[in-house]
Amino acid sequence: MTTVGSGEVRVVVVGSANLDLVVSTPTLPRPGETVLGDALRTVPGGKGANQAVAAARAGARCDFVGAVGQDGFADQLRSNLAEAGVDLRRLRTVPGPSGVALIAVDARAENLIVVAPGANGELTSLDADDRTTVEAADVLLCQLEVPLTAVAQAARWGRGAGTTVVLNAAPARALPAELLDVVDLLVVNEVEAAVVAGVATETGVAALLDALLALVPRVVLTLGADGARYADRLGLRLAVEAPRVEAVDTTAAGDAFTGALAVAWAQRGGPVEPAAVTAALRWACAAGAACARRPGASTALPTRDEIDALYAQSYPEPA
C-alpha cells in the first residue's frame, strides 16, 4: 500500500549522535531517590542520528551532518548510521569524547533522559561542503542538541536554496528570530511549544498553535499516544489520532515520527491540501507508534514496510 508517495527524496539531517546508556526501572527516580533497575544496555542514539536513521528506513536518501569523538563509542555510532544506509561523508571526528545520553525507562514506557553533549557541542559551524549538501536536499531536518549557530547556518542555506526547513525544537529552549524566520515547519511537543512561544505550559493546544503561528508558517504539535495537531497560516487545522499499540519504550518514538514526517512531507511536495497533510501526519504517527512497540532508540526505528503496515491497519480507507 502506497501511503505518502514512492519517489526518492533526499533528506539532510544536521544534528547530534549519542551513545544511549539505558536502564529499565519499575519507576523513574524522584530527586534524591535511588531506584534499582535491570541490566544496562548501550544503544546508538542522539536526536539527529535517530532522525537520520528514521528517515533512511522510511525510504529517503539521507545525509547526516554531525560530529563524533575519538573514542570507542564513535565506531558504534558510525556503524549504526551506515547500516541504515545514511551517508556519512559529512560526519566529522573531533577531539574528545562522543556524546552520551543517560536514559531511565519505567514500566509505563515513560523515560527520563540526561545528555552529555561531548563532540556534538563542537559542531559550532559548517563548511562549504556542508552547504552544498544542504542546498541539494528536498528537506533539511534539524534539532537542538548541537549549537544553535550551526542549526541557524544550515537553515539559512536551506531557505535560500528552496530546501524545506523542518525544525524539531528539542530539547526545549527559546529561539532567536533569525532562526524562526527561516523555518518552514516546526515540530514540537507541548512543553517545547510553550518554551518556544514563551507562554505558560498550561496553555491549551489551540492557544499554543496560535502563539507558534506568530513565529513560523506551519506547526505540528505532537501529543504522544494522543496523536498530533497541525496548523498553518492559511487557516488549516487538523487533528490526527495515533495508532493504538502496546508501548514498550517511547524513547525514540518522537524521532521516528519526525524522521518519517520529513520523508512524507517531501514525497507530498510540501502538502497544502487537507487530505495530503492528513496522510503525511498519519504516516508519521504510524512510525512513532511502531517504534514504541520495541525497546531502544535507533534499534527500534521502523522500516517503511512496517510503517505502511501499521498505517493500513490503523487508518483503513473508506469502503
Side-chain angles (χ1 to χ4, degrees):
M1 177 181 179
T2 299
T3 56
V4 295
S6 56
E8 183 181 78
V9 296
R10 186 172 182 182
V11 174
V12 172
V13 177
V14 175
S16 60
N18 298 320
L19 193 72
D20 294 345
L21 308 180
V22 185
V23 176
S24 297
T25 68
T27 60
L28 296 178
R30 295 168 295 182
E33 181 184 18
T34 298
V35 298
L36 293 178
D38 295 333
L40 175 71
R41 292 180 287 120
T42 59
V43 183
K47 295 197 75 63
N50 285 347
Q51 291 177 19
V53 171
R57 289 185 180 170
R61 174 185 172 189
C62 187
D63 300 80
F64 182 62
V65 181
V68 294
Q70 295 176 320
D71 56 13
F73 292 165
D75 292 338
Q76 194 170 348
L77 295 171
R78 284 182 175 274
S79 294
N80 179 67
L81 288 159
E83 287 171 5
V86 177
D87 192 312
L88 301 183
R89 284 177 290 182
R90 306 312 312 146
L91 176 61
R92 57 268 275 158
T93 299
V94 301
S98 300
V100 172
L102 310 177
I103 303 174
V105 182
D106 72 10
R108 299 177 301 167
E110 297 296 333
N111 60 65
L112 182 155
I113 304 174
V114 178
V115 175
N120 299 304
E122 301 301 313
L123 192 71
T124 56
S125 63
L126 306 181
D127 62 26
D129 289 333
D130 297 325
R131 180 170 188 166
T132 299
T133 301
V134 168
E135 291 180 341
D138 296 295
V139 172
L140 168 68
L141 177 54
C142 300
Q143 319 77 32
L144 301 177
E145 287 185 342
V146 297
L148 277 179
T149 50
V151 173
Q153 191 176 23
R156 289 194 301 271
W157 291 340
R159 171 57 66 87
T163 297
T164 298
V165 179
V166 178
L167 176 64
N168 176 210
R173 67 175 75 177
L175 297 175
E178 56 265 31
L179 173 56
L180 291 168
D181 287 346
V182 291
V183 170
D184 294 300
L185 178 64
L186 180 70
V187 182
V188 284
N189 63 24
E190 289 180 277
V191 172
E192 294 152 1
V195 173
V196 172
V199 300
T201 54
E202 297 79 13
T203 302
V205 168
L208 278 176
L209 292 172
D210 287 338
L212 292 170
L213 288 178
L215 304 174
V216 295
R218 301 169 196 85
V219 177
V220 172
L221 183 66
T222 60
L223 302 172
D226 291 327
R229 304 293 180 266
Y230 172 85
D232 63 31
R233 288 176 178 170
L234 298 176
L236 181 60
R237 298 261 178 145
L238 295 170
V240 172
E241 298 302 314
R244 298 301 172 188
V245 299
E246 184 176 347
V248 173
D249 184 354
T250 61
T251 300
D255 295 329
F257 175 98
T258 306
L261 180 64
V263 176
W265 202 264
Q267 290 179 327
R268 286 286 186 174
V272 293
E273 295 298 325
V277 178
T278 298
L281 291 171
R282 285 177 169 177
W283 203 69
C285 282
C291 179
R293 296 185 298 190
R294 291 195 290 260
S298 60
T299 53
L301 295 166
T303 64
R304 186 178 185 89
D305 286 345
E306 290 172 323
I307 301 170
D308 280 346
L310 187 55
Y311 179 102
Q313 173 188 326
S314 304
Y315 309 109
E317 297 178 356

